[in-house]
Amino acid sequence: PPLPVAKPVPMAAALPGPRWLPAAAALLWACCGSAATDGIQDQAEQFFRSGHTNNWAVLVCTSRFWFNYRHVANTLSVYRSVKRLGIPDSHIVLMLADDMACNPRNPKPATVFSHKNMELNVYGDDVEVDYRSYEVTVENFLRVLTGRIPPSTPRSKRLLSDDRSNILIYMTGHGGNGFLKFQDSEEITNVELADAFEQMWQKRRYNELLFIIDTCQGASMYERFYSPNIMALASSQVGEDSLSHQPDLGIGVHLMDRYTFYVLEFLEEIHPASQTNMNDLFQVCPRSLCVSTPGHRTDLFQRDPQNVLITDFFGSVRKVEITTETVALDPNLVGLETRVPNDEMATEPLKYAEQLPVAQIIHQKPKQKDWHPPGGFILGLWALIIMVFFKTYGIKHMKYIF
Amino acid sequence: PHWVSGPEAEVQRMAWAVAAVLGLLLLLGSPGGCGGSPGPPRDSLREELLLSPLPSGDIAATFQFRARWDSELHREGVSHYRLFPKALGQLISKYLVRELHLSLTQGFWRTRTWGQPYLQAPAGAELWVWFQDSVTDVDKAWKELSNILSGIFCASLNFIDSTNTVTPTASFKPLGLANVTDHHLLRYAVLPREIVCTENLTPWKKLLPCSSKAGLAVLLKAERLFHTSYHSQAVHIRPICRDASCLSVSWELRQTLTVVFDTFSIGQGKRDWSLFKMFSRTVTEACPLASESKIYVDISSKTQENELLEVTPPPLSVHEASVQGDRRTYAVYDLLSPLLFNVSRSLNVQLKWKRPQDSLDLSTPVLHAQRYVSGYGLQTGEISTLIYNTHPYRAFPVILLETVPWYLRLYVHTLVITTKGKENKPSYIHYQPAQDRRRPHLLEMLIQLPANSVTKITIQFERALLKWTEYTPDPNHGFYVSPSVLSALVPSVLAMKAEDAEKSPLFTSLFPSADGSSYFVRLYTEPLLVNLPTPDFSMPYNVICLTCTVVAVCYGSFYNLLTRTFHVEEPSRGGLAKRLANIIRKVRGVPPL
């Protein structure tokens, strides 16, 4: 459960007494209690800071095919910002539905650009994609969110968040009123997404969640959320289309969507110690630049967006407690390696296997066939033969045969 | 410790100091982890780059990084990893792996124009593993191993399951030390659709001890490595002999990366190459953890006259080796020798062609193959494989392994193998038919190739209709058939003597050679792209409407024809006056006229 929110209670309201007393007390407080106010304000602000200890990010691009280059570029720019601000690869689940960088149609292989004239390569040299190509399905996405993953899934493909994790979920692709299309073959609806978040809440898999979606009619995707501590942003309202930014004539496709382009510009100015808050993110792409109206939803969120730092979700700013006590280490602790036992020596020299042992292969014994009971045809044939025999010669011969 | 006063304290303090000093010595003096006398480090690293100009003007660069660890990985208690990466070491000990070979490739090695490859890999991802004989459930270990590898290498290896895994019986014998070769411990799978990109190169580079910060690995930059005609990166783990007597086992990890740079897209049409032109970087130092770090440039010439290539800076030594049955000369640059960086701090090897190449230099490789699918329509087809033996007088056997997915139903009675017009009966055939949605087809044949001949193998198939949910999101692209594998012992032109594996360059010791008269080669054919009958996923609503309309019209018409009865009608007579009169009579209640 989230931390109880303490509201500063004005001292005047708590005191009983004659009518003029609260006013006088308030005046006194206002004039000469400035230092005390600061102290109380600091304490109050402490309550408003987030109580998270680790950050996770789930970045999903759901579109396939070369002309949806911009969706991959969107996701990679958020990936780049999130990595730059401190979230490590082990805490990022990156899902890209198609490969644009090494696509045969890409004139510059191993690059994905976000600005025309190929200014910024968001693919970089150090990227780790966890779910790629056909693995990006609605089922895998929901399994990642809820944690119901088959047991042999590697660690890099799991969302191992706990109740003190702040998770950033970014989705982009083609969508409509109430759904988001995955790879041109299936959809996820806003009801399914809301239910997945509720499962996460009941399993205490997040502390606070920021959901950003950049698709057409994106605001419909967050209409149905009902779990606490979720803040959502979308690039367009219901009935509006999100538009793409600019094509590059060398590559031949649109490179980014408008909303994410301006979000990327905004995030490039953030560094791990920034104090920029969410209200600035809400103003990022006004109608003049974006053509669509970005929307946001904060009613489920406990804290005031003004007190929520951008780095609470996009960065990995940890709380550090500095202690002044001394800790005594055990002086007898010496790093001894256990003696490695000597390896066994074989009695006769080992040899390499023959790569093409022709004689051995030709004389390989065929595998013993397992005995199967006779199938329908054989049984039927024998039944026919026996019937004909007994019809011809009579049933009285049976006792001599069996 | 309790501090007591007096002479006891002195003794205690001295004892503690001695213990501390001893502990410090132990820590510093035993990097390998021996508790007693520190021995030489038990692991070593060799790195090597081979530049071979190809007959067509392109250039192939093969990187090999070999980490060798003199230890027994399967024993408990191994926890100190130095050069051998911990991720792979733990994998081997947990799943009791004896050999592991994983490769990720983009492109196809054109054997006919480029020559025989040192180590070819099929397009996509290929994984084959030999397990130890103490493994009880090989299939379960195989499934878990492929899942873990998919996480390590960021590839979709988790799609490896029983529908694309086979157990070859004659090919893929172990490349390392082996005493048991029961083929039930071998699993082989290929994912021909797998893409290779920077996200696969990044974890591959992280397995190297020096990463990409020093040594030859600084040349590995993704933007240049993927702008190539052929890119193949592989990881090979196998047990090898520790020394010449071969009484104990060491583990070897080889990471190889082969790229072929194209003359026209990178070289701008000119055939002069340099390290900077290829990788946009030069080498400045060797990896400090490597015991050997060398660059080899293939300067052998076919006509034995003057040299074809001029290499600058002039090499310090020249190495001659018999590789793949041929005598080849290599210029060697040893990055660990101090003489190399005397003149300039960075090494940029440049190759220039002295005279224009003519077709005499192009020699066809002894064994090459191609495969194609023929037929028309979406019901049947035929897979044909052509194997060429261009040796003038020697015949040799080749094992052909074909894995065909279950939705292309092969008809083995249509299998025809012809050489020079006559039928060629294989000495060994192993055929395992497919089970729908459970197992692919496996066809393994040992075919004798006569000298100077072309062998054609054809087999017909029928395409199956998949279920709605089994189609990929882009089914109109087609479905891939994994490349077929040809393993052969090719007779060599020269007799090769077995060289010591430790002293010879890495690219000569990939396959263990039994005798000097032939060398082992493994070739892959092209993958095939086959269209299956695909429903039109884009218009189910329209199709249902149209179908229903047609059915309704058809059925309705027949129903009417069968059930409607016909009556004869009186023709109507009379003009307007008669009708008016009839109306008046009807009003009066009198029967009409």
Side-chain angles (χ1 to χ4, degrees):
Chain A
L3 293 169
V5 175
K7 295 186 173 53
V9 177
M11 284 191 335
L15 287 170
R19 286 249 181 100
W20 54 268
L21 195 57
L27 254 171
L28 267 172
W29 187 38
C31 308
C32 36
S34 57
T37 337
D38 276 344
I40 293 169
Q41 197 111 46
D42 271 342
Q43 273 187 358
E45 267 180 32
Q46 281 290 96
F47 280 107
F48 284 105
R49 288 241 163 123
S50 173
H52 72 280
T53 57
N54 54 77
N55 284 83
W56 287 81
V58 178
L59 311 172
V60 184
C61 159
T62 59
S63 305
R64 177 164 272 277
F65 304 123
W66 173 246
F67 50 83
N68 290 321
Y69 183 103
R70 57 190 190 278
H71 297 139
V72 172
N74 288 350
T75 317
L76 286 171
S77 2
V78 178
Y79 172 77
R80 178 202 138 81
S81 312
V82 147
K83 251 177 95 153
R84 195 176 52 83
L85 292 171
I87 303 188
D89 267 316
S90 53
H91 282 223
I92 303 178
V93 177
L94 178 62
M95 304 170 89
L96 297 180
D98 200 359
D99 171 55
M100 299 301 167
C102 290
N103 197 309
R105 283 165 143 170
N106 193 348
K108 295 206 120 208
T111 58
V112 173
F113 292 107
S114 63
H115 287 64
K116 75 172 179 197
N117 301 326
M118 304 186 191
E119 283 166 21
L120 183 59
N121 175 19
V122 289
Y123 198 59
D125 220 10
D126 196 25
V127 61
E128 281 183 24
V129 181
D130 301 307
Y131 287 85
R132 57 185 205 158
S133 194
Y134 298 128
E135 289 175 287
V136 179
T137 57
V138 174
E139 186 191 337
N140 281 348
F141 174 61
L142 292 177
R143 281 185 187 277
V144 164
L145 285 185
T146 54
R148 299 178 174 192
I149 286 190
S152 50
T153 317
R155 252 188 110 90
S156 57
K157 287 186 171 174
R158 293 180 190 236
L159 179 65
L160 298 164
S161 55
D162 52 25
D163 63 318
R164 302 288 292 277
S165 312
N166 273 12
I167 308 184
L168 163 73
I169 298 185
Y170 176 83
M171 300 182 78
T172 180
H174 288 289
N177 189 356
F179 67 92
L180 170 61
K181 193 165 72 154
F182 265 71
Q183 292 214 42
D184 211 20
S185 67
E186 47 183 6
E187 302 103 29
I188 186 173
T189 56
N190 47 7
V191 177
E192 279 175 0
L193 197 57
D195 287 341
F197 286 161
E198 176 64 14
Q199 273 196 53
M200 286 174 79
W201 173 249
Q202 295 200 0
K203 289 187 191 180
R204 296 295 180 263
R205 277 170 71 80
Y206 69 89
N207 177 31
E208 286 169 345
L209 202 136
L210 175 64
F211 176 75
I212 306 183
I213 185 158
D214 188 353
T215 62
C216 304
Q217 308 194 49
S220 62
M221 290 304 285
Y222 61 63
E223 274 171 1
R224 302 290 194 117
F225 291 167
Y226 55 93
S227 320
N229 286 358
I230 301 185
M231 192 189 307
L233 284 106
S235 60
S236 55
Q237 301 294 329
V238 175
E240 285 179 350
D241 285 338
S242 288
L243 301 178
S244 55
H245 187 63
Q246 39 172 235
D248 178 292
L249 297 174
I251 299 178
V253 284
H254 286 264
L255 293 182
M256 276 203 48
D257 279 332
R258 282 175 190 251
Y259 182 69
T260 313
F261 182 81
Y262 291 109
V263 167
L264 175 65
E265 253 184 28
F266 172 78
L267 288 174
E268 286 285 299
E269 285 153 32
I270 309 279
H271 53 90
S274 307
Q275 298 291 309
T276 337
N277 55 40
M278 279 292 163
N279 275 339
D280 301 327
L281 188 59
F282 295 156
Q283 316 299 332
V284 150
C285 199
R287 206 194 161 87
S288 55
L289 287 173
C290 254
V291 185
S292 56
T293 320
H296 53 92
R297 180 178 176 177
T298 51
D299 57 320
L300 294 166
F301 207 73
Q302 302 266 353
R303 301 188 281 149
D304 188 5
Q306 195 163 359
N307 296 326
V308 179
L309 299 175
I310 298 282
T311 49
D312 279 350
F313 289 102
F314 286 89
S316 189
V317 179
R318 309 291 184 97
K319 284 199 175 23
V320 174
E321 274 185 23
I322 301 178
T323 173
T324 49
E325 311 166 357
T326 49
V327 178
L329 298 170
D330 188 359
N332 290 328
L333 198 71
V334 184
L336 271 177
E337 288 287 334
T338 53
R339 182 190 286 272
V340 176
N342 284 325
D343 298 322
E344 315 173 339
M345 308 277 270
T347 43
E348 44 181 59
L350 306 156
K351 45 190 188 359
Y352 291 100
E354 243 189 87
Q355 290 302 302
L356 197 67
V358 177
Q360 186 201 359
I361 289 169
I362 291 177
H363 295 115
Q364 246 175 349
K365 275 226 277 263
K367 214 168 48 143
Q368 266 314 69
K369 277 219 200 52
D370 302 328
W371 183 81
H372 293 288
F377 177 70
I378 303 289
L379 266 178
L381 189 67
W382 277 106
L384 182 70
I385 291 172
I386 290 174
M387 254 175 47
V388 168
F389 175 79
F390 283 113
K391 208 79 192 301
T392 327
Y393 295 107
I395 207 94
K396 62 184 188 290
H397 290 276
M398 193 141 76
K399 65 176 188 288
Y400 295 109
I401 295 174
F402 291 108
Chain B
H2 291 291
W3 291 98
V4 294
S5 57
E8 287 182 63
E10 278 292 328
V11 168
Q12 208 160 32
R13 258 181 245 134
M14 240 174 52
W16 185 46
V18 166
V21 165
L22 265 178
L24 212 61
L25 274 176
L26 274 166
L27 273 175
L28 290 174
S30 61
C34 297
S37 57
R42 295 165 67 100
D43 47 11
S44 63
L45 173 72
R46 283 175 63 181
E47 54 178 26
E48 176 189 284
L49 165 62
L50 169 67
L51 298 171
S52 19
L54 300 168
S56 56
D58 309 325
I59 188 162
T62 309
F63 290 85
Q64 278 208 47
F65 300 90
R66 190 192 90 152
R68 197 187 104 154
W69 197 14
D70 300 331
S71 164
E72 191 51 53
L73 269 174
H74 291 282
R75 184 159 314 128
E76 311 281 323
V78 174
S79 59
H80 187 74
Y81 291 87
R82 192 174 148 254
L83 295 178
F84 201 93
K86 184 172 174 181
L88 296 179
Q90 287 185 327
L91 204 66
I92 295 170
S93 52
K94 178 159 185 215
Y95 293 106
L96 296 171
V97 167
R98 194 168 74 209
E99 268 189 43
L100 188 140
H101 302 269
L102 168 68
S103 69
L104 290 158
T105 313
Q106 170 204 68
F108 180 66
W109 181 275
R110 298 166 210 287
T111 315
R112 211 179 323 188
T113 45
W114 292 346
Q116 210 102 65
Y118 290 106
L119 185 66
Q120 192 187 359
E126 183 204 38
L127 175 66
W128 58 281
V129 176
W130 275 94
F131 288 93
Q132 300 276 349
D133 46 358
S134 48
V135 174
T136 43
D137 191 351
V138 179
D139 288 317
K140 182 160 163 286
W142 169 251
K143 182 93 189 113
E144 290 181 11
L145 185 67
S146 44
N147 275 331
I148 303 242
L149 285 171
S150 87
I152 296 178
F153 290 100
C154 290
S156 318
L157 298 175
N158 48 322
F159 284 134
I160 291 178
D161 56 6
S162 63
T163 57
N164 43 30
T165 308
V166 290
T167 306
T169 55
S171 327
F172 291 106
K173 295 286 181 214
L175 287 178
L177 294 172
N179 47 0
V180 175
T181 52
D182 181 12
H183 61 263
H184 294 107
L185 299 168
L186 168 65
R187 293 288 184 271
Y188 172 77
V190 174
L191 293 171
R193 192 74 202 264
E194 197 61 25
I195 314 154
V196 191
C197 209
T198 315
E199 66 252 20
N200 306 112
L201 186 66
T202 309
W204 189 93
K205 281 198 289 194
K206 284 187 184 163
L207 292 173
L208 299 171
C210 278
S211 190
S212 53
K213 309 243 179 351
L216 292 171
V218 295
L219 298 173
L220 301 175
K221 287 297 162 196
E223 281 165 358
R224 307 299 300 177
L225 289 179
F226 289 101
H227 203 29
T228 52
S229 321
Y230 176 79
H231 172 106
S232 170
Q233 61 195 60
V235 167
H236 301 279
I237 303 177
R238 58 176 183 165
I240 55 169
C241 292
R242 197 176 294 190
D243 44 24
S245 64
C246 211
L247 289 169
S248 44
V249 168
S250 303
W251 283 87
E252 179 194 74
L253 163 70
R254 268 187 206 236
Q255 289 177 254
T256 63
L257 192 134
T258 310
V259 282
V260 173
F261 291 98
D262 190 71
T263 332
F264 295 104
S265 53
I266 314 285
Q268 285 116 32
K270 293 198 277 280
R271 283 191 288 162
D272 299 329
W273 294 102
S274 71
L275 279 183
F276 190 78
K277 194 172 179 191
M278 293 192 280
F279 303 106
S280 69
R281 251 155 208 90
T282 55
V283 183
T284 48
E285 54 164 346
C287 174
L289 296 167
S291 59
E292 208 180 289
S293 179
K294 292 193 176 150
I295 298 182
Y296 291 88
V297 184
D298 187 349
I299 51 174
S300 39
S301 57
K302 305 281 181 291
T303 56
Q304 305 276 336
E305 290 169 2
N306 48 356
E307 283 165 1
L308 268 180
L309 278 175
E310 185 195 317
V311 186
T312 47
L316 297 165
S317 61
V318 167
H319 180 89
E320 290 209 349
S322 48
V323 175
Q324 293 184 340
D326 218 358
R327 190 118 216 122
R328 304 238 184 121
T329 324
Y330 297 94
V332 183
Y333 296 89
D334 190 352
L335 294 171
L336 286 170
S337 82
L339 302 165
L340 192 67
F341 294 108
N342 266 351
V343 180
S344 69
R345 269 192 46 213
S346 74
L347 171 67
N348 183 18
V349 178
Q350 286 167 337
L351 295 96
K352 279 203 216 346
W353 294 91
K354 275 204 193 146
R355 55 181 170 82
Q357 224 178 10
D358 36 354
S359 58
L360 287 173
D361 296 331
L362 291 159
S363 62
T364 46
V366 178
L367 173 70
H368 61 276
Q370 73 178 90
R371 189 170 71 150
Y372 54 90
V373 69
S374 52
Y376 59 90
L378 284 175
Q379 186 161 7
T380 52
E382 186 182 70
I383 298 180
S384 312
T385 312
L386 291 169
I387 309 181
Y388 298 85
N389 176 5
T390 57
H391 202 281
Y393 52 86
R394 290 284 299 271
F396 53 88
V398 69
I399 295 184
L400 176 69
L401 171 76
E402 285 218 27
T403 312
V404 178
W406 63 267
Y407 40 82
L408 299 181
R409 303 184 209 270
L410 294 181
Y411 289 106
V412 190
H413 72 279
T414 57
L415 175 67
V416 172
I417 308 174
T418 44
T419 310
K420 292 184 189 167
K422 292 196 305 251
E423 202 201 320
N424 184 348
K425 198 161 146 56
S427 333
Y428 171 80
I429 294 191
H430 173 76
Y431 175 64
Q432 197 183 52
Q435 279 182 343
D436 272 11
R437 297 176 182 87
R438 249 187 269 159
R439 202 170 69 184
H441 295 277
L442 172 67
L443 179 62
E444 256 186 298
M445 297 186 285
L446 179 66
I447 304 169
Q448 200 74 345
L449 300 177
N452 212 4
S453 66
V454 179
T455 308
K456 184 166 179 182
I457 302 148
T458 54
I459 185 166
Q460 288 179 5
F461 64 87
E462 194 183 68
R463 298 170 218 232
L465 192 62
L466 297 177
K467 291 183 184 168
W468 177 273
T469 48
E470 286 170 355
Y471 285 98
T472 54
D474 52 353
N476 291 300
H477 180 87
F479 290 78
Y480 281 91
V481 179
S482 37
S484 34
V485 188
L486 291 137
S487 321
L489 275 175
V490 181
S492 47
V493 174
L494 303 165
M496 303 182 298
K497 52 182 193 308
E499 295 176 19
D500 187 12
E502 289 306 307
K503 297 197 190 56
S504 51
L506 288 172
F507 58 86
T508 55
S509 56
L510 282 166
F511 295 108
S513 53
D515 55 8
S517 63
S518 56
Y519 61 94
F520 180 75
V521 73
R522 189 174 284 140
L523 288 182
Y524 296 87
T525 60
E526 303 94 330
L528 300 175
L529 190 57
V530 170
N531 268 326
L532 288 184
T534 310
D536 190 353
F537 292 101
S538 61
M539 294 188 6
Y541 173 72
N542 291 0
V543 166
I544 291 172
C545 281
L546 194 68
T547 318
C548 288
T549 310
V550 167
V551 165
V553 166
C554 260
Y555 176 69
S557 312
F558 271 111
Y559 181 77
N560 282 334
L561 278 172
L562 291 171
T563 57
R564 200 172 282 174
T565 53
F566 292 94
H567 304 279
V568 181
E569 252 189 38
E570 297 284 307
S572 63
R573 283 177 315 220
L576 184 64
K578 193 147 187 192
R579 281 209 286 275
L580 273 171
N582 275 336
I583 290 168
I584 297 167
R585 289 170 83 94
K586 204 161 49 175
V587 165
R588 281 173 55 198
V590 175
L593 291 168

